Amino acid sequence: MNTTVNNGGDDLVQNRLLSYLQDQLPFKIEELKPIRKKVYLLRTQERAFVLKGFSSYHRLKLQEAFTSSLMNEGFAKTYIFYEVAKEPPLFFDRTYFGCLEYIPPSEEVFTYFLKSDRLEGLNLLKNFHDTTEKLVSRYQTVVPAYRQADKWRERATLFLNNLPVIRYFVQKEIINELLAWADWALKGIEEDAWLFQYGRKVILHGDVAHHNFLRAKDQSLYLLDFDLIAVGTPHSDYLQYANRILPFMKWSFDDLGKYSIFKSNLEEKGFLHALAFPTDIFREWNRVIRDRTYLDSVKIRPVLDLTVGQFAERQRFIKALKYAVNEINK
């Protein structure tokens, strides 16, 4: 049996968790390996599971029900939960744990560096929306409504509060332009609020980072982790997806328009304005300041590259957005 960690206090917690699981599960555990915080790979002689922790019983049951609903509606490119505990639910150290299907990964990981992966991920996200549109009425009382402008105002406010630290790293001219982009974006979203409030409603994924897509051993692509699901229009997930892939496309407005799903969105003024909001920059600065890792040269380097290294490319992108808005207004 292998616990495969040597993290002091974390090791002690894991040994206690292992002891608890051995008592609660009907099979012998051969390996308990941490993947990230409160997520473990659990191997038995017969099979493997992913053990994932949730802060409440409600969150656990919501995830179980939602992934089951996806499967029932025909969306098979995700995991399912297994009920394996002798006395469910699994509850340890104030955390509820679920046993998820382990999907063996490919040696070729999914990455936004590759155009083929970017396109495949976008198509999978569209399939996800087509499925979750059928689930909105079932989940709208237990899943929050996504409020794009409110979320971004909150993020911008926190960024403003963090400026005393950020000014040590980023020149004021760049900061002032970032804030001008945010202001232009939010005003445009308010003018076209209907785009994010009305029309087709789906259950959004809410976190389309590359690590929530998994390339399986059979080369199929899977969508993972539905912790941030919310009811909204597909535009919000597509905005986030665009924001995630644009750094790998040198912030090319023309190349973004070559994706058929984005082409129609780029004809909407509200979507164009929203693309200007520097949500990734605000998010990453707020994170490193919250975690007090801004003095760690390894962790601050990608944030500086995002903010300063890509600034000229991003300036050109914003210019293209404003030109596109002006063309629509003619």
Side-chain angles (χ1 to χ4, degrees), residues 38 52-58 60 89-98:
K38 295 186 178 180
K52 180 174 179 178
F54 296 88
S55 59
S56 70
Y57 185 63
H58 169 75
L60 168 61
L90 290 171
F91 182 68
F92 173 82
D93 197 22
R94 295 176 294 179
T95 302
Y96 291 89
F97 284 93

Side-chain angles (χ1 to χ4, degrees), residues 161-174:
N161 291 340
N162 287 327
L163 281 181
V165 174
I166 298 168
R167 287 194 181 105
Y168 280 103
F169 297 91
V170 183
Q171 64 196 74
K172 66 178 181 180
E173 290 81 5
I174 289 180

Side-chain angles (χ1 to χ4, degrees), residues 53-211:
F54 296 88
S55 59
S56 70
Y57 185 63
H58 169 75
R59 286 180 177 273
L60 168 61
K61 299 310 288 184
L62 175 61
Q63 293 298 308
E64 287 180 355
F66 182 68
T67 53
S68 176
S69 295
L70 287 175
M71 289 286 184
N72 291 338
E73 290 294 341
F75 186 85
K77 297 303 180 182
T78 191
Y79 48 72
I80 59 174
F81 281 76
Y82 295 114
E83 189 65 81
V84 293
K86 294 176 184 176
E87 298 178 14
L90 290 171
F91 182 68
F92 173 82
D93 197 22
R94 295 176 294 179
T95 302
Y96 291 89
F97 284 93
C99 276
L100 286 63
E101 174 187 8
Y102 173 68
I103 302 168
S106 167
E107 291 183 2
E108 300 173 10
V109 298
F110 176 87
T111 172
Y112 286 148
F113 275 108
L114 297 177
K115 183 178 180 181
S116 57
D117 279 6
R118 296 194 295 262
L119 180 59
E120 191 176 0
L122 188 59
N123 288 332
L124 182 61
L125 185 61
K126 181 184 182 299
N127 291 340
F128 173 76
H129 290 156
D130 290 343
T131 302
T132 64
E133 184 177 11
K134 306 169 190 173
L135 301 175
V136 170
S137 60
R138 196 182 315 173
Y139 284 93
Q140 62 186 358
T141 58
V142 290
V143 170
Y146 192 80
R147 305 193 183 281
Q148 187 73 65
D150 291 348
K151 181 180 178 65
W152 279 357
R153 282 193 201 93
E154 182 181 334
R155 184 167 287 178
T157 299
L158 188 54
F159 181 82
L160 286 168
N161 291 340
N162 287 327
L163 281 181
V165 174
I166 298 168
R167 287 194 181 105
Y168 280 103
F169 297 91
V170 183
Q171 64 196 74
K172 66 178 181 180
E173 290 81 5
I174 289 180
I175 291 174
N176 289 342
E177 191 146 0
L178 293 175
L179 295 174
W181 295 347
D183 184 61
W184 184 78
L186 288 171
K187 285 179 178 175
I189 292 174
E190 288 172 357
E191 290 175 5
D192 288 285
W194 62 270
L195 189 67
F196 298 96
Q197 294 176 7
Y198 305 107
R200 182 191 181 206
K201 291 290 176 65
V202 301
I203 297 178
L204 300 165
H205 182 277
D207 186 8
V208 293
H210 71 92
H211 54 76

Side-chain angles (χ1 to χ4, degrees), residues 18 67 101 179 213 223 246 280 284 321 325:
L18 177 63
T67 53
E101 174 187 8
L179 295 174
F213 292 87
L223 188 58
L246 277 164
D280 51 342
E284 294 307 314
L321 290 177
V325 169

